Amino acid sequence: QVQVEESGGGSVQAGGSLKLSCAASGYTDSSYCMGWFRQAPGKEREGVAAIDSDGNIKYADSVKGRFTISDDSAKNTLYLQMSSLKPEDTAMYYCAASDHVLLGANWGNQYEYNYWGQGTQVAVSS
């Protein structure tokens, strides 16, 4: 049974930084995609960034140049370094894992992911 669990959320002022972590366990697939999604109150869940087993990395336009996704395969941990945070980045952030590589724009499709964490809250004040 695959499990993913996020940590590292919190409150920060605009312009600040936070680093989210996602610990994955029970994963046996050699092909995968892991991503970060977020959902603000009253809005749909959106893809933030993703990385796959082929080393491909994708970002939403809204976070390019500010967020960096990375993974440590030895620790089975996914990270999201968030810098220059803005109030509009405020949301619940979710880690998700897919058991296959996602091509093209599918990286941002939440329905392509099989496993989800419970989420960690990020609040950015102005």
Side-chain angles (χ1 to χ4, degrees):
Q1 180 70 21
V2 176
Q3 292 184 323
V4 292
E5 183 174 2
E6 309 93 339
S7 61
S11 298
V12 65
Q13 288 191 325
S17 299
L18 281 174
K19 186 173 184 177
L20 305 183
S21 299
C22 171
S25 61
Y27 220 85
T28 59
D29 293 288
S30 59
S31 295
Y32 62 86
C33 182
M34 292 194 71
W36 289 97
F37 285 74
R38 66 186 181 186
Q39 188 167 20
K43 294 188 177 181
E44 293 187 355
R45 189 171 296 187
E46 62 174 356
V48 175
I51 185 169
D52 68 25
S53 50
D54 291 339
N56 299 304
I57 293 176
K58 299 289 186 180
Y59 293 101
D61 288 342
S62 59
V63 306
K64 281 182 181 176
R66 301 188 298 121
F67 291 10
T68 302
I69 189 171
S70 62
D71 66 353
D72 184 335
S73 58
K75 296 182 179 179
N76 292 327
T77 303
L78 180 73
Y79 302 99
L80 184 68
Q81 176 67 52
M82 305 184 293
S83 303
S84 301
L85 282 161
K86 304 175 181 180
E88 51 263 44
D89 294 317
T90 295
M92 185 71 79
Y93 282 70
Y94 298 91
C95 175
S98 173
D99 59 6
H100 54 281
V101 172
L102 300 176
L103 301 178
N106 284 336
W107 74 269
N109 183 348
Q110 62 175 313
Y111 301 107
E112 292 284 349
Y113 291 81
N114 310 87
Y115 311 103
W116 290 84
Q118 294 299 308
T120 185
Q121 182 68 43
V122 171
V124 184
S125 58
S126 57

